[in-house]
Amino acid sequence: MSLSREQMLVEMGISPIWVLRENEQPAAESVTAPLAVAATGQPELAPPLLQPTAAQPAPPIAPAAPLGASGMADIDTLDWPELARRVATCQACPLCQQRKQAVLGVGDLHPDWLFIGEGPGADEDAQGEPFVGQAGKLLDNMLGALDIARGNKVYIGNAVKCRPPGNRTPEAAELAACRPYLERQIALLKPKIIVLLGKVAVHSVLHDDKSLASLRGKRFEYAGIPVVVTYHPAYLLRNLPDKAKAWEDLLFARRVLREAASPVLPF
Ligand code: SF4
């Protein structure tokens, strides 16, 4: 049974339900705030090479020779199928040793929204898709409340593609080893907005270790793409009062996306 938008908001713990009227600007979220972080100087983005697809786990990928760190040099030249093959066979960091499978991501290959989390958990490792299980359900409810869904103008990925043992936080070296794959995903996907879910994603994309509380409600940029920060759904499951803050962050992200799509022209 599908949930209505109001039911999704209740599921997220957002009640009483309120409606953001057109032209209404919540005081805590200044859309005219100056750019907080400059673009990272990444190379020019390459055009996506595949047409949009529905949210389906990637088809089986033919095995290839294992890759070590030295095999990462040409990552920024790969098309999507070759990128997927490289990730599936990657051995560039110790996380390859205990994974069932690498999890590249799932969704529309021409997305408006790119959500980036931390790394696969046990369920994701088993199923080959990010954000399944309870955290995935919450993320789906958050998307549904915005009238979007995974696979429909939405792509979901992670900072690292292989499950850290015991669901521990990925180490800095593991994040660095996997970052070229994430950067290539962003270059190929060319999303209109990136939403970073949690501190690990923030560290990987923005190289910023400040607290999430200090980063929320601000517009950052990566390679010219607006970036917004919010809590990881797994954190929200443990800290229910912060669901309302995550909802504020998503509304802010939607406004940033709309502004990016319709920039105000100077006089
Ligand atoms: Fe390779 Fe990333 Fe998996 Fe490490 S986490 S083995 S860098 S795909």
Side-chain angles (χ1 to χ4, degrees):
M1 181 181 69
S2 62
L3 298 177
S4 69
R5 180 173 178 278
E6 286 72 20
Q7 289 171 315
M8 289 176 181
L9 289 168
V10 172
E11 280 265 308
M12 289 172 57
I14 312 298
S15 61
I17 297 167
W18 54 275
V19 177
L20 186 71
R21 294 191 296 270
E22 290 298 324
N23 303 323
E24 183 178 8
Q25 303 290 340
E29 302 166 353
S30 171
V31 296
T32 58
L35 190 64
V37 168
T40 59
Q42 295 298 311
E44 192 117 332
L45 299 181
L49 299 180
L50 292 184
Q51 296 302 310
T53 62
Q56 297 293 333
I61 297 167
L67 284 173
S70 62
M72 307 287 272
D74 63 345
I75 294 295
D76 61 357
T77 68
L78 301 181
D79 63 13
W80 193 271
E82 182 62 14
L83 178 67
R85 193 179 68 83
R86 291 284 188 93
V87 168
T89 57
C90 180
Q91 298 181 12
C93 89
L95 294 183
C96 69
Q97 294 168 3
Q98 295 184 45
R99 71 182 179 210
K100 287 189 173 70
Q101 58 189 313
V103 181
L104 179 64
V106 68
D108 193 329
L109 296 186
H110 283 178
D112 289 345
W113 298 75
L114 170 59
F115 289 83
I116 300 175
E118 181 173 314
D123 292 335
E124 290 79 9
D125 186 46
Q127 298 183 36
E129 181 172 338
F131 285 98
V132 294
Q134 290 304 310
K137 284 181 186 168
L138 177 56
L139 179 59
D140 286 340
N141 286 339
M142 294 162 73
L143 301 182
L146 289 174
D147 295 323
I148 56 177
R150 66 172 73 196
N152 181 15
K153 292 293 181 185
V154 175
Y155 190 92
I156 303 171
N158 278 315
V160 294
K161 315 308 181 194
C162 303
R163 180 195 178 199
N167 291 343
R168 64 165 170 77
T169 301
E171 295 175 357
E174 294 159 352
L175 284 171
C178 214
R179 189 174 296 122
Y181 293 130
L182 180 61
E183 291 174 346
R184 188 60 185 157
Q185 281 183 292
I186 296 172
L188 291 170
L189 292 168
K190 299 181 79 169
K192 294 176 180 168
I193 190 165
I194 298 172
V195 180
L196 301 177
L197 303 169
K199 281 200 71 170
V200 169
V202 171
H203 178 77
S204 186
V205 174
L206 298 179
H207 310 286
D208 196 320
D209 286 325
K210 296 192 191 76
S211 71
L212 269 186
S214 70
L215 299 173
R216 291 181 51 244
K218 296 176 181 171
R219 180 191 191 278
F220 299 88
E221 278 196 7
Y222 172 89
I225 302 166
V227 177
V228 169
V229 171
T230 191
Y231 297 104
H232 192 286
Y235 166 87
L236 294 174
L237 291 174
R238 302 189 302 270
N239 298 274
L240 299 181
D242 282 341
K243 283 184 179 179
K245 295 178 182 175
W247 176 236
E248 290 175 9
D249 295 338
L250 291 181
L251 292 177
F252 174 64
R254 185 166 67 180
R255 286 204 304 280
V256 170
L257 173 62
R258 287 175 175 171
E259 287 172 9
S262 304
V264 177
L265 297 175
F267 291 107

